[in-house]
Amino acid sequence: MPSPLHCKPLRVGLLGFGVVGSGTCAVLSGNRATITARAGCAIDLTHVATRTPERARAAGAAGVVLTDDPLALARHPDIDVVVEAMGGTDLARRCVLAAIAAGKHVVTANKALLAQHGEEVFAAAQAQGVSVAFEGAVAVSIPIVKALREGLVANEIEWLAGIVNGTSNYVLTQMRDEGRSYAQALGEAQALGYAEADPSLDVDGGDAAHKLALLAAMAFGGAPRLADVHVEGIRHLQACDFGHAARLGHTVKLLAVARREGEQIQLRVHPALVPSAALLARVDGSMNGILVKGNAAGVTMYCGAGAGSRETASAVVADLVDIARALRGGGSPRQIPALGFHHEVQPVRTAAPLEALRLPQYLRVPLADAGAARQVREVLAAHGITPVQQDESPQALALLTSETEEWRAAGAVQDLARQPCVAAPPTRLRVEALA
Amino acid sequence: MPSPLHCKPLRVGLLGFGVVGSGTCAVLSGNRATITARAGCAIDLTHVATRTPERARAAGAAGVVLTDDPLALARHPDIDVVVEAMGGTDLARRCVLAAIAAGKHVVTANKALLAQHGEEVFAAAQAQGVSVAFEGAVAVSIPIVKALREGLVANEIEWLAGIVNGTSNYVLTQMRDEGRSYAQALGEAQALGYAEADPSLDVDGGDAAHKLALLAAMAFGGAPRLADVHVEGIRHLQACDFGHAARLGHTVKLLAVARREGEQIQLRVHPALVPSAALLARVDGSMNGILVKGNAAGVTMYCGAGAGSRETASAVVADLVDIARALRGGGSPRQIPALGFHHEVQPVRTAAPLEALRLPQYLRVPLADAGAARQVREVLAAHGITPVQQDESPQALALLTSETEEWRAAGAVQDLARQPCVAAPPTRLRVEALA
């Protein structure tokens, strides 16, 4: 192998100098010697497109060409790879497609872009014979894309389940461990910079749905199918749900689940009870954790930071090194397909209707008076639901059911909400055994 | 990209048809359609060398050429890749070197071979321009080699710590959860097939040391340095140590630790107390779990099965797919160096002497009589050791110390063993905060 001194550097153009862009710049320069030794050639940040050039200069991006025109940079002849770190889905999409059209490889951590426009972007890249890498788009620094696309490539994936949104996990952890209300916990997360001023994308499950669409495409084939993901957020959870859950041997997490059911695939993001003894129950604060069940590997688990500038940059730079190594080896970075499949194994699987779901349920029913609990059990019995475990307080009856159909559980909750013995609308959460 | 129909299959020769070999055969045939779709070409098991051909035939290896001469198979002209699944370090070494000399790529799950002869094997492969892949040699189905060599490639690795031996972890878990003695727990592990008739390699830490030598080489550069690993096993642990540890907020695990200390590297395998709240404390039974701390990614964690035929095959086949994809892409599987570095960043780091270690300690001192605990504390004080936490029973005084030098802790234990107030030699374990 030639010494790296005789090897052409990989020339990187960076679009955006916010959290991800500045982290990428810092990691490339701070760890330069090690990255060069591992890649086999230098990875040079040569161009940056940003609206805040002074910020980029201050951050040590001196020596690179600065511009405020991302589209021009995306097509720049002196660049081998474009790193899209702008965020958003409109200008980012046009820049990524322009870079691909100009024959550039693309690295992005933009989950919204790929979940919504992945089919178009990946098709364009395939037609041009360039690579679109996105390790940073799914689980920050956890190399889960590499695990699914390469490490677990020998497996039929049966299911995957993960905590893939750090903000909502921080909120849920504060509610459980500090007894905070949802509003208090969210306020703290915003004060700490873990949550945006508008937290909707995080707490309503949208961000987790973007990531799940990408994970499922790598696990089962097909394009990312955001529209097929059933999404529920965490706004309706109350601190008391964590107490009930704990006494019932569980904790509440916002889960992203993709599960193969015959020729269909379940795609869902919702808060769920998981057994307290499960490793995933201990993935707390702003951490992310993902379980993958393969028919050869069994269950493997991946955990790491759920947010962060350098943490995301770790994944972005890993994608750059993959590209540098492939080019240096005389091959094509396209040797590994963006989503892991060179061709579909079979007609793309359809989404399983939520109605087909059959899981144990957690119900918390606010009680109007002393005798109410008995009446609640009678209503449930009338719907064919028998509690397998209960935790009663003067205010509420919380219980776990055996496996129950969605329609049956939803119907019982509607019926209960109408009963005089029930003081307020019940809360229903699904229970995931993670097995 | 050409359709897989027009793409040459990768021809695989398998040496050995035991646990790993039969699993590889089963996964390649059982998941063939998916593996082909992901690799971009078929991966065909064409030759098997085994002393039990009837077993191979029965296991569905019919249609492949069977031989009892592994050396001949290693050089066979009709094979692209040799999978070494024989185990052992003598014949396996000769077969692997023969395959390399014949220009074959090699995949192996043989940690002993690579830990002891890695420098020779990797050098031969580099000289021949072939690849030696070994995902299955470190953590069974967990893609930790890929994570260190590729996923975390942007990081300066600060430390890694893991449970990398499933047999000893099963024994420790039974001792903790079922109150078994070491001998009872080991007997059960043997009855279940988790432990060999001669369990030395597992319970004395040798197997974990093999894996640590490989992990450290990928994390810090240089060749695997088995001789530099300090190794202690678990035979001396008693069931009561788990009770004391639990009451002191910890659990006992056999850890493999590699930590960078300036220009030196600590390499050690020994039982240690880890905080009960740490995720690694929940990696139980025969599971493996590894933490890696990088200066960009922060701490990421990887867990999965610590043993198994199909589980190991998942990693072996992933290595085969890496090779198939690289060849199909027109490049060389050597584009990713076996240990992740194209060249050393700096002179290979030296091993840190154990004496330089400074960690909190757990001490269990068997007491001769009622007044003994006070005397024990006096002896410790004379050595400059003050307990920060204690758990006293009529039989023993268990305690945690603040950070203490090895020589100081060892000296105090020697001194205590000589005291009339001490009924039996004390037990000393290091405490790892995993931070």
Side-chain angles (χ1 to χ4, degrees):
Chain A
M1 288 260 175
S3 117
L5 300 173
H6 306 105
C7 176
K8 241 168 71 240
L10 188 75
R11 301 165 305 172
V12 177
L14 176 61
L15 308 183
F17 206 80
V19 172
V20 176
S22 60
T24 301
C25 174
V27 169
L28 278 174
S29 57
N31 293 349
R32 183 174 175 86
T34 295
I35 291 166
T36 304
R38 285 175 164 154
C41 65
I43 296 180
D44 292 345
L45 180 59
T46 57
H47 296 67
V48 174
T50 171
R51 280 164 303 180
T52 58
E54 59 295 334
R55 179 144 178 267
R57 255 184 233 94
V64 314
V65 180
L66 297 173
T67 167
D68 59 3
D69 183 347
L71 269 167
L73 194 154
R75 305 190 181 97
H76 198 292
D78 301 340
I79 289 173
D80 305 306
V81 185
V82 168
V83 173
E84 183 277 306
M86 311 160 69
T89 57
D90 176 21
L91 181 56
R93 170 179 161 275
R94 285 185 285 129
C95 289
V96 163
L97 291 174
I100 291 169
K104 318 290 185 195
H105 302 290
V106 172
V107 174
T108 178
N110 190 331
K111 56 222 68 157
L113 172 68
L114 294 180
Q116 290 170 35
H117 304 292
E119 192 153 17
E120 174 187 25
V121 168
F122 293 128
Q126 172 136 19
Q128 279 288 330
V130 297
S131 139
V132 173
F134 57 95
E135 185 65 81
V138 180
V140 192
S141 64
I142 306 169
I144 187 66
V145 170
K146 201 165 263 295
L148 280 170
R149 216 182 42 191
E150 303 163 48
L152 299 173
V153 76
N155 292 262
E156 299 284 357
I157 304 301
E158 297 174 5
W159 55 266
L160 59 86
I163 296 166
V164 292
N165 180 267
T167 304
S168 53
N169 201 39
Y170 176 85
V171 168
L172 295 180
T173 303
Q174 289 298 102
M175 291 175 74
R176 183 194 67 192
D177 296 349
E178 309 300 328
R180 301 273 193 279
S181 69
Y182 167 79
Q184 290 169 326
L186 178 61
E188 289 173 11
Q190 286 167 323
L192 288 165
Y194 290 159
E196 316 271 328
D198 173 2
S200 316
L201 202 56
D202 293 318
V203 300
D204 294 333
D207 174 72
H210 291 150
K211 295 162 176 173
L212 182 64
L214 291 168
L215 287 167
M218 291 185 286
F220 304 112
R225 284 156 17 180
L226 185 59
D228 291 344
V229 183
H230 169 80
V231 186
E232 300 171 26
I234 63 171
R235 290 182 199 257
H236 63 295
L237 296 177
Q238 296 184 18
C240 65
D241 288 312
F242 293 86
H244 288 301
R247 290 186 292 275
L248 294 166
H250 289 72
T251 189
V252 184
K253 293 293 186 183
L254 179 63
L255 291 188
V257 178
R259 183 184 291 268
R260 179 177 170 179
E261 292 286 349
E263 292 318 301
Q264 296 189 312
I265 298 171
Q266 289 173 16
L267 294 173
R268 46 196 173 88
V269 171
H270 54 74
L273 268 67
V274 299
S276 303
L279 277 172
L280 209 57
R282 295 304 200 81
V283 173
D284 293 331
S286 61
M287 273 182 76
N288 280 184
I290 301 174
L291 295 172
V292 183
K293 172 74 188 298
N295 73 341
V299 175
T300 51
M301 182 184 185
Y302 310 83
C303 307
S309 171
R310 291 175 60 84
E311 289 78 0
T312 307
S314 173
V316 168
V317 174
D319 283 340
L320 291 171
V321 171
D322 278 351
I323 293 166
R325 282 171 164 172
L327 295 174
R328 183 171 180 282
S332 157
R334 295 264 328 145
Q335 70 192 43
I336 297 170
L339 293 167
F341 288 86
H342 280 284
H343 64 274
E344 294 304 329
V345 183
Q346 57 179 55
V348 173
R349 300 190 175 96
T350 57
L354 193 68
E355 298 62 43
L357 206 55
R358 203 166 174 286
L359 289 171
Q361 309 282 323
Y362 161 90
L363 298 178
R364 176 175 50 82
V365 189
L367 303 173
D369 54 57
R374 187 182 43 74
Q375 294 164 274
V376 167
R377 278 187 284 268
E378 284 165 6
V379 173
L380 289 173
H383 285 268
I385 296 174
T386 355
V388 293
Q389 230 187 316
Q390 304 188 36
D391 179 56
E392 189 172 344
S393 76
Q395 295 74 35
L397 173 65
L399 51 87
L400 299 183
T401 75
S402 56
E403 284 197 352
T404 306
E405 300 86 349
E406 280 289 315
W407 61 265
R408 188 186 299 276
V413 166
Q414 274 178 18
D415 191 357
L416 283 167
R418 286 192 297 266
Q419 305 292 327
C421 63
V422 175
T427 296
R428 172 172 79 99
L429 298 172
R430 300 176 188 92
V431 180
E432 282 285 347
L434 302 174
Chain B
M1 287 261 171
S3 114
L5 300 173
H6 306 105
C7 179
K8 252 181 43 245
L10 188 75
R11 300 166 304 172
V12 177
L14 175 60
L15 308 182
F17 206 80
V19 172
V20 176
S22 60
T24 301
C25 174
V27 170
L28 278 175
S29 57
N31 293 349
R32 182 175 176 85
T34 295
I35 291 166
T36 304
R38 285 174 164 155
C41 65
I43 296 181
D44 293 344
L45 180 59
T46 58
H47 296 68
V48 174
T50 171
R51 280 165 302 181
T52 58
E54 59 295 335
R55 181 147 175 262
R57 254 183 233 95
V64 313
V65 180
L66 297 173
T67 167
D68 60 2
D69 182 348
L71 267 167
L73 195 154
R75 306 190 180 96
H76 199 290
D78 301 338
I79 289 172
D80 305 308
V81 186
V82 169
V83 173
E84 183 277 306
M86 311 160 69
T89 56
D90 177 20
L91 182 55
R93 171 178 159 277
R94 285 186 284 128
C95 289
V96 163
L97 291 174
I100 291 169
K104 318 289 185 197
H105 302 291
V106 172
V107 174
T108 178
N110 190 330
K111 56 223 68 159
L113 172 68
L114 294 180
Q116 289 169 36
H117 304 292
E119 192 153 17
E120 175 187 27
V121 168
F122 294 127
Q126 171 137 19
Q128 280 289 330
V130 296
S131 136
V132 173
F134 57 95
E135 185 65 81
V138 180
V140 192
S141 63
I142 306 169
I144 187 66
V145 170
K146 201 165 265 293
L148 279 171
R149 215 181 42 189
E150 301 163 48
L152 299 173
V153 77
N155 291 262
E156 299 283 356
I157 304 301
E158 297 174 4
W159 55 267
L160 59 86
I163 296 166
V164 291
N165 181 266
T167 304
S168 54
N169 200 39
Y170 176 86
V171 168
L172 296 180
T173 303
Q174 288 299 100
M175 290 176 74
R176 182 194 66 193
D177 296 348
E178 309 299 330
R180 298 275 194 280
S181 70
Y182 167 79
Q184 289 168 325
L186 177 62
E188 290 173 8
Q190 286 167 324
L192 288 165
Y194 289 161
E196 317 268 330
D198 173 4
S200 315
L201 202 57
D202 293 318
V203 299
D204 295 332
D207 174 72
H210 290 151
K211 295 162 175 172
L212 182 64
L214 291 168
L215 287 167
M218 291 184 286
F220 304 113
R225 283 154 19 177
L226 186 58
D228 291 345
V229 183
H230 169 79
V231 186
E232 300 171 26
I234 62 170
R235 291 183 199 256
H236 63 296
L237 296 177
Q238 296 184 18
C240 65
D241 288 312
F242 294 85
H244 288 301
R247 290 186 291 275
L248 293 165
H250 289 71
T251 189
V252 184
K253 293 293 186 183
L254 179 64
L255 291 188
V257 178
R259 182 184 293 268
R260 179 176 170 180
E261 292 286 350
E263 292 318 299
Q264 296 189 312
I265 300 170
Q266 288 172 18
L267 294 172
R268 46 196 173 88
V269 171
H270 55 73
L273 268 68
V274 299
S276 303
L279 276 173
L280 209 57
R282 295 302 201 80
V283 173
D284 293 331
S286 62
M287 273 182 73
N288 279 184
I290 301 173
L291 295 171
V292 183
K293 171 75 189 297
N295 73 341
V299 175
T300 51
M301 183 185 185
Y302 310 83
C303 307
S309 171
R310 291 174 60 83
E311 290 79 357
T312 308
S314 173
V316 168
V317 174
D319 284 339
L320 290 172
V321 171
D322 278 351
I323 293 166
R325 282 170 163 173
L327 295 174
R328 183 172 180 282
S332 157
R334 294 266 325 145
Q335 70 192 41
I336 296 169
L339 293 166
F341 288 86
H342 280 285
H343 64 275
E344 294 303 329
V345 183
Q346 55 181 55
V348 174
R349 299 190 174 94
T350 57
L354 193 69
E355 298 64 42
L357 206 56
R358 202 165 175 287
L359 289 171
Q361 310 281 324
Y362 160 89
L363 299 178
R364 175 174 51 82
V365 189
L367 304 174
D369 52 58
R374 187 182 45 73
Q375 294 165 274
V376 167
R377 279 187 284 268
E378 285 166 6
V379 173
L380 289 173
H383 286 268
I385 296 174
T386 355
V388 293
Q389 228 185 319
Q390 304 187 36
D391 179 56
E392 190 172 340
S393 76
Q395 295 73 36
L397 173 66
L399 51 87
L400 298 184
T401 75
S402 55
E403 282 197 352
T404 305
E405 301 86 348
E406 279 288 316
W407 61 267
R408 187 186 299 276
V413 167
Q414 273 179 18
D415 192 356
L416 283 168
R418 284 194 298 266
Q419 305 291 330
C421 63
V422 175
T427 296
R428 171 171 78 99
L429 298 173
R430 301 177 188 93
V431 181
E432 284 284 348
L434 303 174

